[in-house]
Amino acid sequence: MFPENQQNVQFPQLEAEVLDFWKSQKIYEKSLDARRDGPKFVFYEGPPTANGMPHPGHCLTRAIKDVFPRYRTMKGYYCERKAGWDTHGLPVEVEVCKEMGIHSKEEIENFGIEPFIHKCQASVWRYMQEWERLTERLGFWLKLDEAYVTYHQSYVESVWWALKNFYDRGLLYQGHKIVWWWAQGGTALSAGEVGQGYREVADPSVYVRFPLVEDPKTALLVWTTTPWTLPSNQFAAVHPELEYSTVEDEETGEHLILATALVEPLATKTKKNWKTIATCLGAALLGKRYLPPFDYYYKTLGDAQGRLADNPQATQHLAWRVVAADFVTTDSGTGVVHQAPAFGEVDYDVLKEEQDRFAPGEGPDLICAVGPDGKFTAEAPDYQGRWVKEADKDIAHELKTRGRLFLLDQYLHDYPFCWRADEDPLIQYPRKSWFLRTTQFKDEMVANNQQINWLPDHIRDGRFGNFLESNVDWALSRERYWGTPLPIWVCEETGQAEAVCSYAELEAKPGATGFEVWAAAKKKNPELVDDLKIHKPYIDAITYDSPFAKGAKMQRVTEVIDCWFDSGAMPFAQWGYPHQNADRFEEQFPADFISEAIDQTRGWFYSQLAISTLLFGKGGDGQTVRHEYPHPFKNCIVLGLMLGEDGQKMSKSKRNYREPNEIFDKYGADALRWYLFANQPPWTSIRYNEQSIKDSIPEFLLRLWNVYSFFTIYANIDGFQPEQALTGQAGQLSGADFAGAKGYRPAAERSELDRWVLSELNQAIATVVERMDAYDNYGACGALTNFVDALSNWYVRRSRDRFWSGDKESPEKQDAYWTLYECLITTCKLIAPFTPFLAEGLWRSLAGVFGDRAIESVHLCDFPAPDETAIDLQLSTRMNLIREISSLGRKARMDEKLKVRQPLSLVEVVLADATHQDWLESHGGLIREELNVKDVQFTQEGQKYIDYQVQPNFKRLGPKIGKLLPQVKAALAKADGGELLSQLESNGQITLEVGGQAIELDGEDIQVRLQAKPGWAAAQGKMCVVVLNKELTPELLREGYCKDLVRLIQDQRKEMDLAYTDRIEIGVTTDADELTAALTENGAYITGETLGESLVLNALTGATAIECEIGDFAAKLFVKKV
RNA sequence: GGGCGCAUAGCUCAGUUGGUUAGAGCGCGUCGCUGAUAACGACGAGGUCCCAAGUUCGAAUCUUGGUGCGCCCA
């Protein structure tokens, strides 16, 4: 016996039971053990930062990460799924600061770095339980208890190893990075923070004269919106391919140089009369020297020169000359751009390029007249100690006094402010920083990227490819506290440095001291986790004897590293490689599959690719282990972002989404999963829509459940017991395993309907396997939806008679059970990766009857493989035709208000072609039943009922006749369709006269459409027209009455809450002779349909009279349980 | 400001290499079915395929330029 179902299945409750079952029976562990010898399928978990509550968008990521490993496991692969947590970084520090109500670095340092990082470490775990619970509840199978954690010592030491490798290969260097700097707080802001703080402000916009050294009457006209950067001016940039004009002011006679395109607008704006006296390309201006607006540096360095790198004989002035820059535009300003490399990233790039042009050490140094506090230094004595923004006005005034100011204006633009102190504008400011020389490996990274299978594939050459093309060296260091310490120790005397790759290496250093700081802290608070000893501030205390200078000590640099480096190191650091687990790393590298949302393009996707290429690539130096591309991942699904219900980014404060837990409690994890997998390709950005989640229940889950429920009800009634029919082990419960069972007939011996549904099943399997192998969950789900629909709405419906029939042992009935059983069992396996709970629930019921002889969990089964011999495409086409005919028949009935319960004598089906006519004729029964008609006739001679519309086959004729097509179309439309067709039939072609030339069309060149003529109960589809005979004989009417009655009786049975198998007595009283005659005539039919023992034409004592209307006649119905 | 992506029915979304009647589900409406039943089926209404121009015999689809939204970067 199959378990009795609850009438009203509650999926969340079912899921809870399944979760318990998985846990108590260790199903996940078993699924891994069973595949241990299989080929590897390597999955990497991109570590979430457990720094906030998970929302539905995170469910998408975690669901996608689950479905493919599950699928591959069922396909026989061994897929480990090690969890991981990203624990370092600014977001954690910010979270802690928020909680403490502080925000500047100064406040952190006053509080103490030591207690601060204790708080950071503790904070990381705050939301982790929520994440673990979500992971589990969603059915994401992941080894949570063996998670890698980025602050663990073994992880940090792996990262150190990579950094030391890079350092030793000369890939780590110190330079300047221009950062968005919050001067008041003394800290750099991350891009995300800066992005939050933009707002529109009016800044002064100054046009300044830079007189040429060789011709002081002529000046470059230079534009800037940050006057305070002028004292630190180093260059003026022009675009080499733009045209520049020298104009003469007709009043003053002065000469100015600016971009030609801007002469007119600027002259208009300032009401100047300018005469162009010369033009040239920007390239011709390159190298021209000018007098900067302030001489703080110029007075000592103005004449300084250096030797050029490519020609040591030649020298050039270091600064204050015109240089080329591609970013110069004529959108605003003058086309000549003031360059203060200290205060702009692009300006700084210009400086670097200039430095590279000179012999090493001889190029221009960075000029910076501003201190980290945002105030001018002694190098600009006139403004010393003043906040830069506040000095703007005085600088403009000063320039005006000196005659250098051409125009002072206001400029409206977006400018970033500090998100923590919104009155404080940020400034770009140079900070010493450590860089990873990724640019040296750009070509390698590009080559590696080309080998990655990106989904969607536009990522490869689009967003990700473009990002690689514009690669800049990775600014690795952060002047923060909670992160992987940069493992570089510097000699206090010589400044020489070396990298260290483990704590043990430090301990072994000669003269190493400082370990007692950690020891003391641990003694004071034994709760401290040992991993902290490798963090600030403890690690900073460790010094050792310098190998570079006798008596000197080595001291660590103060920085920690970008936490993206942590996550990007995960392919090896998760194993503690190479200090340990070298074998684990080798067997789990590279990943077959990863997935994250598109915002990770420059995050985890890049950090992994960069680190992997530099460490294990093919082209680098000193690489000990090399791997063929692609690595560290081969296939990557880039998910779209999930937006809130209002189309905005999901945000807690906007409340535009529901907490995942509420979704699970209301609809269940499977409903959410199915919605995520089946509703759209995963890379489209989707709008959270609660209704759609809800809808996935009736659309798929419940529909399948109802089929299952139908099956168990009848299987139990009829005593269909596969576990008794089959002896021995049940194997995978596949068709092949059933072959020897009692009562099981090969598909070839079963009815067409059975063979059809098995063909559909195997086509579905083939599609699902093909789509899932291509990482296309959406396509796979489409095939599953179609199959379940076919199973429910055609197979079961058309097989009802067999399930109801009284003869329990009839082979046809047994066929129906075996067929449906096989379909359900196989569907369980097919849906297992997608909706693992429902699959398990169904499996435990359907396979449970075999007890120990069957596999205990569907997730331990093999994924079904299609049986090609069971697929019959022609049968599919034909069945579709029958379904279309049925559908059209119902439409025609409706148009004529002829309800389906009323039998009709005849339908005629006019086919567009005769291909399937014979087959259809032999399957008239299906149509007769479905449409409730006595006879079906097929014909192609439908002129009586229909018009034929002949159209060109555009796809075929287009390339052939091109421009004549519209005329051919018109000619065909004008001609009589029937005539054209008979012409085609007799001659094999149609000849048309179009545009003075004869066009010959064969059968392939045209397409025929059928159009029902008015006046008939007819409906047309693509392949046929269905025409009803509306004539109702008294006999047909009487039969209709009986069908009405059957339905009333069934209603009453239900009303009386009778068991499916209860037998009844029926009584009917009526004055209508027609009705009486009908009941007498069809008594056996009525009792047969309703399990009636007897049907009498009088009242039954002890039964309530039901007033009812049958046809147009009043009657009373009595139903009584026997 | 730059790069990438998206824009199709009231809602959520499909739409193959361009092919002439643009689909699904939900919702709405009408009807039907009735022992899978708090289900199910059929049909209908509902579309300037964001706008504009271009290429083409033919454009939701290709090109260009806009507009709006999102992401990443400034």
Side-chain angles (χ1 to χ4, degrees):
Chain A
M1 286 278 279
F2 295 96
E4 295 283 334
N5 294 307
Q6 315 136 292
Q7 281 299 301
N8 190 8
V9 61
Q10 293 297 331
F11 288 115
Q13 192 190 325
L14 174 81
E15 291 176 2
E17 289 162 18
V18 169
L19 280 171
D20 286 344
F21 167 71
W22 286 347
K23 199 173 263 181
S24 67
Q25 298 307 310
K26 298 194 175 352
I27 299 300
Y28 172 44
E29 290 74 10
K30 286 178 186 168
S31 79
L32 287 174
D33 287 343
R35 304 303 188 192
R36 206 163 286 277
D37 298 326
K40 299 263 183 307
F41 181 75
V42 179
F43 164 75
Y44 288 165
E45 160 75 331
T49 311
N51 201 48
M53 292 290 281
H55 61 59
H58 298 119
C59 294
L60 169 62
T61 322
R62 297 190 94 53
I64 287 283
K65 286 178 180 183
D66 183 59
V67 70
F68 290 100
R70 275 186 189 270
Y71 167 72
R72 291 288 179 157
T73 299
M74 290 181 75
K75 289 271 282 183
Y77 291 84
Y78 181 56
C79 178
E80 296 185 56
R81 282 153 266 182
K82 191 178 173 73
W85 302 102
D86 197 3
T87 55
H88 282 147
L90 196 61
V92 181
E93 292 191 25
V94 168
E95 184 79 9
V96 169
C97 285
K98 251 192 226 160
E99 175 192 318
M100 296 173 58
I102 61 174
H103 53 244
S104 73
K105 284 175 70 176
E106 200 183 353
E107 286 170 297
I108 294 172
E109 281 174 24
N110 288 340
F111 174 74
I113 296 173
E114 187 177 359
F116 183 74
I117 66 138
H118 292 173
K119 277 179 172 292
C120 287
Q121 188 265 335
S123 155
V124 166
W125 302 112
R126 185 174 327 158
Y127 295 104
M128 201 188 75
Q129 274 198 320
E130 292 295 337
W131 276 83
E132 289 187 342
R133 205 176 304 158
L134 172 96
T135 301
E136 212 165 276
R137 182 63 188 82
L138 186 65
F140 179 18
W141 273 357
L142 193 66
K143 270 251 166 63
L144 288 168
D145 46 8
E146 289 173 16
Y148 65 89
V149 177
T150 57
Y151 76 69
H152 282 177
Q153 182 178 341
S154 68
Y155 197 98
V156 169
E157 287 180 334
S158 279
V159 174
W160 279 13
W161 164 77
L163 291 168
K164 181 181 166 70
N165 177 298
F166 293 150
Y167 184 85
D168 292 348
R169 287 158 63 197
L171 301 177
L172 265 185
Y173 67 94
Q174 244 187 326
H176 281 104
K177 180 176 165 61
I178 310 297
V179 295
W180 280 109
W181 183 253
W182 178 35
Q184 289 81 354
T187 188
L189 267 62
S190 69
E193 293 175 296
V194 176
Q196 283 173 47
Y198 274 91
R199 65 172 189 259
E200 193 172 65
V201 288
D203 269 326
S205 150
V206 294
Y207 296 74
V208 185
R209 299 181 178 96
F210 282 14
L212 294 180
V213 170
E214 62 189 25
D215 174 15
K217 276 232 170 71
T218 304
L220 299 162
L221 190 56
V222 176
W223 178 73
T224 178
T225 57
T226 49
W228 60 268
T229 62
L230 286 168
S232 308
N233 171 271
Q234 284 190 272
F235 302 100
V238 298
H239 195 298
E241 282 149 33
L242 277 178
E243 191 192 80
Y244 288 81
S245 295
T246 306
V247 297
E248 182 177 273
D249 187 307
E250 299 199 329
E251 279 169 49
T252 64
E254 77 166 327
H255 292 181
L256 294 169
I257 298 174
L258 69 161
T260 304
L262 290 158
V263 169
E264 168 65 29
L266 203 56
T268 312
K269 182 174 183 153
T270 55
K271 302 195 176 83
K272 300 273 187 196
N273 289 320
W274 277 347
K275 187 172 74 184
T276 298
I277 54 175
T279 60
C280 67
L281 282 183
L285 298 171
L286 299 183
K288 285 196 188 294
R289 296 176 60 215
Y290 62 84
L291 295 166
F294 292 89
D295 64 354
Y296 304 131
Y297 298 92
Y298 186 79
K299 67 184 174 214
T300 52
L301 293 168
D303 292 324
Q305 299 190 29
R307 285 177 299 159
L308 294 179
D310 57 357
N311 179 6
Q313 312 307 318
T315 60
Q316 190 172 29
H317 285 88
L318 296 183
W320 304 293
R321 48 189 164 73
V322 177
V323 297
D326 288 338
F327 57 78
V328 175
T329 68
T330 54
D331 293 343
S332 55
T334 61
V336 188
V337 179
H338 149 66
Q339 296 287 289
F343 309 115
E345 207 173 336
V346 287
D347 298 26
Y348 186 74
D349 290 340
V350 168
L351 174 69
K352 275 199 292 189
E353 269 171 45
E354 284 300 317
Q355 286 173 334
D356 289 345
R357 292 180 54 236
F358 286 85
E362 299 197 16
D365 287 327
L366 182 68
I367 284 176
C368 180
V370 176
D373 56 1
K375 294 172 180 168
F376 281 103
T377 62
E379 294 183 357
D382 299 328
Y383 304 100
Q384 188 179 354
R386 293 182 60 186
W387 163 236
V388 291
K389 283 274 180 183
E390 189 254 333
D392 272 348
K393 228 177 216 167
D394 288 351
I395 287 171
H397 189 74
E398 161 73 14
L399 292 172
K400 189 174 179 187
T401 333
R402 284 200 269 120
R404 286 294 194 88
L405 186 72
F406 172 75
L407 173 68
L408 175 61
D409 197 7
Q410 281 224 321
Y411 186 70
L412 215 55
H413 64 160
D414 286 328
Y415 195 85
F417 287 72
C418 181
W419 62 279
R420 290 176 283 206
D422 57 10
E423 288 309 305
D424 295 347
L426 302 176
I427 59 173
Q428 293 208 344
Y429 193 77
R431 297 297 292 174
K432 284 253 180 207
S433 193
W434 289 86
F435 289 85
L436 178 57
R437 210 180 294 281
T438 53
T439 46
Q440 189 178 315
F441 293 83
K442 186 176 119 180
D443 293 344
E444 288 301 314
M445 292 194 286
V446 167
N448 194 353
N449 173 43
Q450 284 303 319
Q451 300 301 313
I452 295 169
N453 178 32
W454 291 98
L455 299 110
D457 67 358
H458 62 71
I459 299 287
R460 180 188 308 107
D461 296 317
R463 189 178 280 229
F464 197 77
N466 289 345
F467 179 59
L468 289 182
E469 283 302 326
S470 57
N471 185 256
V472 293
D473 285 345
W474 187 344
L476 207 58
S477 55
R478 294 288 181 272
E479 298 176 272
R480 301 296 309 187
Y481 311 99
W482 177 238
T484 297
L486 187 62
I488 293 174
W489 269 257
V490 184
C491 172
E492 58 188 1
E493 215 167 290
T494 64
Q496 283 169 285
E498 64 178 12
V500 168
C501 77
S502 71
Y503 203 75
E505 186 185 339
L506 278 177
E507 289 174 319
K509 290 284 186 189
T513 59
F515 301 99
E516 68 284 355
V517 177
W518 163 253
K522 178 81 178 175
K523 195 172 176 193
K524 193 172 152 203
N525 179 5
E527 305 271 286
L528 288 184
V529 293
D530 285 336
D531 298 300
L532 286 182
K533 73 178 175 202
I534 205 163
H535 284 80
K536 271 168 102 64
Y538 311 111
I539 199 70
D540 294 342
I542 295 171
T543 64
Y544 57 87
D545 295 344
S546 169
F548 305 108
K550 238 198 163 109
K553 280 296 206 180
M554 297 292 280
Q555 171 73 49
R556 196 185 76 84
V557 300
T558 58
E559 292 97 335
V560 298
I561 62 161
D562 181 2
C563 61
W564 284 115
F565 193 93
D566 288 351
S567 61
M570 155 282 158
F572 54 92
Q574 66 173 336
W575 305 112
Y577 177 88
H579 305 301
Q580 50 186 311
N581 291 327
D583 52 335
R584 302 291 283 128
F585 167 68
E586 288 298 341
E587 66 188 24
Q588 294 287 311
F589 184 90
D592 289 295
F593 168 64
I594 66 167
S595 179
E596 297 291 338
I598 192 164
D599 57 358
Q600 293 296 332
T601 311
R602 288 151 195 243
W604 194 51
F605 297 152
Y606 173 67
S607 66
Q608 279 191 95
L609 182 100
I611 294 172
S612 201
T613 307
L614 267 63
L615 274 179
F616 310 120
K618 292 191 298 187
D621 55 290
Q623 294 161 351
T624 48
V625 190
R626 297 187 183 194
H627 285 271
E628 288 300 311
Y629 296 141
H631 61 73
F633 51 87
K634 297 180 185 168
N635 301 285
C636 178
I637 297 184
V638 183
L639 301 169
L641 288 161
M642 192 185 265
L643 303 175
E645 218 143 16
D646 52 1
Q648 304 287 309
K649 199 175 170 172
M650 281 194 178
S651 120
K652 227 175 186 170
S653 56
K654 284 186 198 145
R655 294 166 167 267
N656 54 1
Y657 65 89
R658 199 172 279 281
E659 296 280 332
N661 275 327
E662 286 184 57
I663 300 172
F664 297 144
D665 292 346
K666 257 175 122 163
Y667 313 113
D670 278 342
L672 177 61
R673 289 174 67 114
W674 187 257
Y675 160 71
L676 295 172
F677 295 145
N679 223 32
Q680 64 279 309
W683 44 82
T684 50
S685 69
I686 53 171
R687 197 179 272 215
Y688 172 79
N689 183 256
E690 187 156 339
Q691 188 59 41
S692 297
I693 299 172
K694 197 175 170 181
D695 288 345
S696 60
I697 296 175
E699 275 170 27
F700 186 75
L701 306 179
L702 193 56
R703 184 171 291 174
L704 178 59
W705 181 270
N706 283 335
V707 176
Y708 152 76
S709 172
F710 174 92
F711 168 81
T712 55
I713 289 168
Y714 285 95
N716 286 340
I717 290 172
D718 284 335
F720 173 69
Q721 291 177 310
E723 74 277 16
Q724 295 195 358
L726 183 65
T727 53
Q729 283 301 307
Q732 298 278 333
L733 293 184
S734 65
D737 296 314
F738 295 143
K742 187 168 159 264
Y744 182 92
R745 299 202 294 183
E749 293 172 24
R750 299 185 214 171
S751 76
E752 199 116 44
L753 193 64
D754 293 340
R755 279 188 282 123
W756 169 77
V757 79
L758 291 173
S759 167
E760 295 295 308
L761 174 67
N762 281 286
Q763 285 179 63
I765 297 171
T767 308
V768 171
V769 167
E770 189 245 332
R771 291 292 80 213
M772 287 301 279
D773 285 345
Y775 296 93
D776 174 13
N777 53 282
Y778 177 69
C781 288
L784 288 170
T785 304
N786 286 341
F787 175 69
V788 170
D789 178 69
L791 184 66
S792 168
N793 287 329
W794 193 250
Y795 180 74
V796 169
R797 230 171 45 151
R798 291 312 329 138
S799 301
R800 274 173 166 163
D801 285 355
R802 281 193 288 166
F803 290 107
W804 285 338
S805 80
D807 181 0
K808 291 187 181 182
E809 297 305 320
S810 85
E812 290 74 26
K813 186 161 192 162
Q814 292 295 309
D815 287 346
Y817 279 120
W818 281 111
T819 305
L820 185 52
Y821 188 59
E822 183 179 338
C823 285
L824 282 168
I825 284 277
T826 307
T827 305
C828 270
K829 298 180 194 168
L830 288 175
I831 64 169
F834 304 92
T835 54
F837 298 98
L838 174 61
E840 192 75 304
L842 295 179
W843 178 266
R844 294 186 65 201
S845 167
L846 291 168
V849 293
F850 284 89
D852 293 344
R853 292 154 59 203
I855 297 168
E856 67 178 322
S857 161
V858 69
H859 302 288
L860 303 177
C861 291
D862 294 341
F863 204 77
D867 173 3
E868 300 292 344
T869 63
I871 295 176
D872 183 342
L873 292 175
Q874 192 180 45
L875 183 56
S876 288
T877 309
R878 289 170 163 175
M879 197 62 87
N880 280 340
L881 194 51
I882 289 201
R883 293 182 76 175
E884 187 184 350
I885 291 168
S886 307
S887 177
L888 290 170
R890 277 191 292 267
K891 182 184 175 192
R893 269 183 174 273
M894 200 177 85
D895 292 344
E896 298 296 323
K897 301 224 180 298
L898 291 165
K899 59 185 181 183
V900 180
R901 233 181 289 129
Q902 175 58 58
L904 296 175
S905 59
L906 174 70
V907 297
E908 288 184 79
V909 180
V910 187
L911 295 169
D913 71 72
T915 318
H916 302 300
Q917 181 163 339
D918 291 345
W919 185 86
L920 287 169
E921 274 170 358
S922 64
H923 293 76
L926 266 178
I927 300 171
R928 287 200 302 273
E929 282 179 34
E930 190 65 19
L931 289 180
N932 192 19
V933 296
K934 298 295 176 195
D935 193 14
V936 186
Q937 289 177 6
F938 298 91
T939 171
Q940 287 151 78
E941 301 301 316
Q943 277 90 339
K944 195 162 88 179
Y945 310 118
I946 57 175
D947 291 322
Y948 293 94
Q949 293 174 347
V950 181
Q951 280 205 330
N953 177 349
F954 293 99
K955 204 162 185 169
R956 189 177 150 105
L957 278 180
K960 244 198 267 185
I961 61 171
K963 295 196 185 212
L964 288 174
L965 201 50
Q967 294 176 63
V968 170
K969 179 185 175 184
L972 288 173
K974 221 166 69 187
D976 178 82
E979 226 159 80
L980 288 173
L981 288 180
S982 54
Q983 197 188 128
L984 182 65
E985 187 141 343
S986 48
N987 304 341
Q989 59 183 39
I990 294 170
T991 309
L992 287 177
E993 182 79 12
V994 166
Q997 67 185 97
I999 304 268
E1000 291 180 350
L1001 305 175
D1002 62 22
E1004 293 278 290
D1005 289 330
I1006 57 161
Q1007 43 201 9
V1008 181
R1009 284 198 173 125
L1010 312 178
Q1011 178 81 45
K1013 282 183 177 168
W1016 297 96
Q1020 84 259 356
K1022 284 221 159 69
M1023 303 164 81
C1024 59
V1025 171
V1026 174
V1027 187
L1028 300 180
N1029 183 333
K1030 294 189 284 185
E1031 187 190 359
L1032 290 173
T1033 63
E1035 201 182 8
L1036 289 172
L1037 284 169
R1038 289 201 295 272
E1039 221 181 302
Y1041 303 149
C1042 294
K1043 293 217 175 210
D1044 278 347
L1045 179 63
V1046 165
R1047 186 225 152 164
L1048 288 166
I1049 297 170
Q1050 299 287 33
D1051 268 357
Q1052 189 54 26
R1053 286 187 61 111
K1054 204 162 55 176
E1055 190 75 20
M1056 293 165 66
D1057 215 13
L1058 297 185
Y1060 294 101
T1061 46
D1062 285 339
R1063 304 194 75 86
I1064 54 170
E1065 288 173 15
I1066 307 161
V1068 178
T1069 60
T1070 176
D1071 298 334
D1073 294 343
E1074 270 302 293
L1075 214 47
T1076 312
L1079 301 187
T1080 318
E1081 218 172 281
N1082 300 290
Y1085 162 76
I1086 295 167
T1087 51
E1089 289 290 305
T1090 58
L1091 293 186
E1093 293 274 88
S1094 58
L1095 169 62
V1096 293
L1097 287 169
N1098 43 47
L1100 296 181
T1101 50
T1104 324
I1106 316 295
E1107 301 279 351
C1108 53
E1109 199 165 286
I1110 299 173
D1112 289 330
F1113 311 112
K1116 285 185 181 142
L1117 168 66
F1118 302 84
V1119 174
K1120 191 172 152 188
K1121 189 176 159 188
V1122 174

